[in-house]
Amino acid sequence: MKLHEYQSKNLFSKYGIPIPEGAVAGDVDEAVEIAEKLNSDVVVKAQVLVGGRGKAGGVKVAKSVGDVKRYASDILGMEISGLTVGKVLIDRAVGISSEIYLGITNDRRRRCPVMMASAAGGVDIEEVAAKTPDMIFREYIHPFLGLRKYQTRNIAFGINLPSELIADFDDICQALYVAYRESDAELAEINPLVITNNNKLLAVDGKIVLDDNALFRHSDLSELRDEKSEDEQEMIARKQGLSYVALEGDIGCLVNGAGLAMGTMDIIKYFGGEPANFLDIGGGATADKVSEALRIILMDPGVKVLLINIFGGITRCDEVAKGIIEAIEKVGVEVPMVVRLVGTNEEEGRDILANAELTTASSLADAAQKAIKLA
Ligand code: GDP
Ligand code: MN
């Protein structure tokens, strides 16, 4: 679950990280009111759950009330990467002398958190990571020892931080790590952490991604969920208890079981295709759930063919077949389907599908190759 910038920064602030003074507004009048209270130049910032808002025109410095009105009305309702802006954050603007990237995430290979920082922070950090990776400094955090001072100092030296800011920088790194750990986050990021014109560190942007599997023990954080601003496919999937991850390819996959779903994606890749998604309908899925799952997959306009791979154990093939028929009737499936059904009630499943227009496959390898050809 992603938190909005204002939510992330409020959380950071609770842990002692300095953030600009500001508040969030749902309409232009509110935005003006906040700006008038701040009584200075302000930044009007789109609150959407994607990055790159600055480049999309969703971050503007306003020098007057007129500016605030104009920018707030431009930005509210704006679409950024397919998501509509419902709120703007009005922050006191600061004079910036440099922008630092500072973040923590899990390093799956090392099996521990990693803190990363770069002197080349700001809106081009992805490019920095791709083109000049040696400008990013890393320290791996031992889960039992925590983040040590020598490590934050190493990072500070790496990014050439002015020596008078090192103590404050260490405090911010420590606070970020505690915030990350205590909220069970997958990512906690400040980009940019700026050095202001009067030589202070300030977290101008914030981002937190929480681990969905740990949300049950953070009721205060789960309440921050803003359904209106979530990706629609992901929201429906979450409500149906389906694990869905959108990918770039054109072969939509409906599979039961996470391992089988990964195996299906591997085989598609092996034969030269590209999966459009990961989707695990779980054990014992009912016809309803299958038809909802198909609806979610088909919301992706990039899907050219559906590959349904069911190994019937607890999941019954006839239930899945009913779900497919239901989806064809309710949702209208306009792309070709390749179906491989084996296991519990596979005969009944095949009978149900006998009159539907679809391609059947005898093995997963066969199914993958047929799907790729159709795509
Ligand atoms: P993002 O594009 O979604 O990452 O949004 P950010 O909040 O990081 O803002 C993008 C850029 O806007 C930052 O990298 C800064 O260069 C600039 N910016 C944000 N807040 C301020 C501010 O208070 N003053 C000034 N001068 N620039 C700001
Ligand atoms: Mn940013």
Side-chain angles (χ1 to χ4, degrees):
M1 171 181 157
K2 295 174 185 161
L3 297 188
H4 279 298
E5 175 195 5
Y6 74 94
Q7 297 167 329
S8 307
K9 287 201 297 201
N10 285 342
L11 189 82
F12 289 160
S13 170
K14 283 189 194 140
Y15 286 89
I17 296 173
I19 61 165
E21 207 182 331
V24 76
D27 59 49
V28 176
D29 291 343
E30 250 183 294
V32 168
E33 203 177 301
I34 296 163
E36 279 172 343
K37 251 188 225 152
L38 290 171
N39 193 25
S40 73
D41 291 0
V42 296
V43 204
V44 182
K45 311 183 77 177
Q47 298 301 289
V48 272
L49 300 172
V50 286
R53 298 164 306 159
K55 288 194 170 168
V59 178
K60 297 271 190 219
V61 179
K63 301 200 173 291
S64 65
V65 171
D67 279 357
V68 174
K69 268 192 192 147
R70 188 151 42 92
Y71 294 143
S73 64
D74 284 353
I75 293 174
L76 284 163
M78 179 188 263
E79 239 187 53
I80 301 180
S81 306
L83 296 174
T84 310
V85 181
K87 285 182 186 133
V88 285
L89 173 64
I90 311 295
D91 265 359
R92 186 186 297 287
V94 285
I96 294 175
S97 91
S98 69
E99 304 196 11
I100 295 163
Y101 173 92
L102 182 67
I104 305 181
T105 188
N106 280 326
D107 188 302
R108 288 175 191 276
R109 209 150 38 101
R110 299 236 189 176
R111 291 186 265 182
C112 68
V114 58
M115 175 167 266
M116 294 171 292
S118 176
V123 296
D124 289 320
I125 190 67
E126 283 83 6
E127 210 179 308
V128 173
K131 289 194 180 147
T132 45
D134 47 318
M135 286 193 69
I136 296 176
F137 294 84
R138 290 182 176 76
E139 285 290 336
Y140 297 93
I141 304 171
H142 191 290
F144 295 158
L145 299 177
L147 179 64
R148 313 307 293 178
K149 260 199 171 150
Y150 77 87
Q151 297 184 293
T152 63
R153 225 166 359 243
N154 273 348
I155 292 177
F157 292 145
I159 63 171
N160 280 320
L161 194 78
S163 56
E164 68 274 17
L165 291 176
I166 290 180
D168 286 349
F169 181 74
D170 175 59
D171 288 343
I172 291 172
C173 292
Q174 300 292 347
L176 189 66
Y177 176 55
V178 179
Y180 166 87
R181 205 189 52 208
E182 288 188 353
S183 54
D184 284 314
E186 288 177 351
L187 175 76
E189 183 181 89
I190 306 173
N191 185 34
L193 172 67
V194 305
I195 304 178
T196 62
N197 284 343
N198 48 12
N199 212 27
K200 292 226 157 40
L201 288 168
L202 189 69
V204 158
D205 187 13
K207 179 174 177 183
I208 295 180
V209 181
L210 300 167
D211 180 352
D212 290 339
N213 296 308
L215 277 179
F216 72 94
R217 52 185 189 189
H218 300 283
S219 52
D220 50 332
L221 295 175
S222 4
E223 273 169 22
L224 297 176
R225 190 186 289 281
D226 174 9
E227 284 195 344
K228 273 184 288 200
S229 62
E230 275 184 324
D231 180 84
E232 201 184 343
Q233 280 165 291
E234 282 174 21
M235 186 189 69
I236 300 174
R238 181 169 49 75
K239 289 203 166 152
Q240 295 287 333
L242 300 160
S243 315
Y244 172 85
V245 182
L247 300 164
E248 303 289 306
D250 52 13
I251 301 175
C253 305
L254 183 140
V255 189
N256 67 318
L260 189 60
M262 286 194 278
T264 305
M265 290 161 56
D266 281 349
I267 291 222
I268 290 172
K269 287 240 181 201
Y270 177 80
F271 287 111
E274 285 294 333
N277 66 277
F278 168 93
L279 189 136
D280 168 17
I281 59 168
T286 56
D288 269 359
K289 207 165 170 180
V290 171
S291 117
E292 276 299 291
L294 281 171
R295 190 160 77 88
I296 294 166
I297 298 175
L298 293 169
M299 283 167 73
D300 174 355
V303 170
K304 292 202 195 117
V305 58
L306 275 169
L307 171 53
I308 298 170
N309 182 26
I310 301 297
F311 184 84
I314 299 170
T315 304
R316 289 163 36 200
C317 292
D318 56 325
E319 273 292 317
V320 174
K322 272 187 217 154
I324 296 171
I325 298 294
E326 202 177 300
I328 294 173
E329 283 165 4
K330 277 204 321 215
V331 190
V333 181
E334 315 225 309
V335 296
M337 284 191 271
V338 180
V339 183
R340 177 201 176 226
L341 282 178
V342 287
T344 311
N345 294 0
E346 97 182 48
E347 293 297 327
E348 290 88 331
R350 278 209 205 101
D351 289 346
I352 293 170
L353 293 178
N355 295 321
E357 261 183 66
L358 40 79
T359 309
T360 51
S362 53
S363 69
L364 178 48
D366 180 35
Q369 289 172 85
K370 282 178 172 158
I372 291 165
K373 206 177 253 169
L374 286 164

